[in-house]
Amino acid sequence: MGLVPVKTPKFLKRLFPNYIWDLPNEDKVLYLTFDDGPTPEITHWVLNILNSYNAKATFFCIGANIDKHPDIFQSILKEGHSIGNHTYNHLKGWKTEKEAYLKNVSACDEVFKSQIATTESSSINLFRPPYGKITNKQGKALIKQGYKIIMWDILSFDWDTNLSEAACLKNVINKSKSGSIIVFHDSKKSSKNMMYALPKVLEHFSGQGYTFKAIY
């Protein structure tokens, strides 16, 4: 897992206070998020598992994937989950000029508008930078446009092919607490670890009286 920690350290949250890292509460609520979809078969599998636990989540979608799989995107909406912008092409902010980055975010937003009724699409203001890599200028510009930049409290590392399924599960169960924003991916690369860990995370925390809510 290298230098990136499973649980975001407090100093980093204080360093970037305009970004949302967690949603502290005393009501035993966790916030599951899924990046990089929609993806054939995998996203539907996630939706079915969430539904079996009456859990809601937030899907940070790539615009190009929505264009390829609009039916899966519609399934996310019909199941009552929230959605967020993850750029059109999964750009690395650190390697992209500000204007090009903002244009790519806008392209994803246009896909949302083409898929959702105007009254609903106007309220989609969640954004997560791919890889968590975003410059200060990009972040400030997006916040000025009305976006809430949603980062995370817990990384499952489901995408790490060198990580075992059990270790992926342990990352989430051992580090999460009420208010944690947890990152999974509904992508092919992450599917092995995610499909093992997600049902067990839902079972474990549901058994402890937790509920799973979407971010708005």
Side-chain angles (χ1 to χ4, degrees):
M1 289 177 281
L3 298 175
V4 181
V6 171
K7 188 173 182 67
T8 303
K10 291 181 180 179
F11 81 86
L12 192 59
K13 296 178 183 180
R14 289 194 295 265
L15 193 61
F16 297 99
N18 292 329
Y19 299 168
I20 298 171
W21 299 91
D22 51 22
L23 295 167
N25 63 78
E26 298 177 359
D27 298 325
K28 285 194 169 184
V29 177
L30 293 173
Y31 300 90
L32 296 174
T33 65
F34 297 87
D35 293 2
D36 297 357
T39 308
E41 297 181 5
I42 298 169
T43 302
H44 279 306
W45 182 91
V46 170
L47 293 174
N48 288 336
I49 291 295
L50 293 174
N51 185 56
S52 67
Y53 284 90
N54 196 29
K56 299 303 177 187
T58 303
F59 289 78
F60 289 93
C61 299
I62 296 172
N65 285 346
I66 300 173
D67 274 339
K68 293 175 186 174
H69 312 292
D71 56 323
I72 306 176
F73 182 70
Q74 290 298 325
S75 294
I76 295 171
L77 298 175
K78 289 175 184 176
E79 292 289 335
H81 304 288
S82 64
I83 55 172
N85 189 315
H86 202 46
T87 75
Y88 188 83
N89 296 114
H90 205 257
L91 293 188
K92 286 185 178 180
W94 294 355
K95 295 185 176 182
T96 310
E97 293 293 329
K98 186 186 82 169
E99 293 307 319
Y101 194 79
L102 296 178
K103 185 175 181 180
N104 205 269
V105 173
S106 180
C108 183
D109 188 56
E110 289 302 314
V111 176
F112 283 159
K113 291 177 180 177
S114 71
Q115 292 289 328
I116 310 171
T118 304
T119 54
E120 295 178 359
S121 63
S122 62
S123 65
I124 297 170
N125 61 347
L126 305 181
F127 177 78
R128 174 174 285 160
Y131 312 100
K133 296 180 178 180
I134 186 171
T135 67
N136 284 332
K137 289 182 178 180
Q138 292 163 354
K140 288 179 180 178
L142 289 172
I143 290 171
K144 190 174 181 179
Q145 290 179 15
Y147 282 100
K148 296 178 183 178
I149 298 180
I150 310 297
M151 301 300 270
W152 56 79
D153 184 42
I154 304 294
L155 287 173
S156 69
F157 281 88
D158 55 352
W159 72 87
D160 187 346
T161 54
N162 294 317
L163 188 73
S164 70
E165 297 166 331
C168 177
L169 173 64
K170 184 178 178 181
N171 284 343
V172 179
I173 287 182
N174 287 2
K175 300 291 186 179
S176 298
K177 65 178 183 179
S178 189
S180 287
I181 296 174
I182 302 164
V183 178
F184 282 109
H185 295 75
D186 52 330
S187 66
K188 291 181 179 179
K189 182 179 181 180
S190 305
S191 61
K192 182 173 179 286
N193 284 342
M194 183 274 292
M195 287 181 166
Y196 174 85
L198 180 60
K200 292 176 173 57
V201 167
L202 288 164
E203 181 180 7
H204 174 82
F205 285 107
S206 293
Q208 293 188 358
Y210 282 80
T211 57
F212 300 86
K213 294 185 178 181
I215 302 169
Y216 290 97

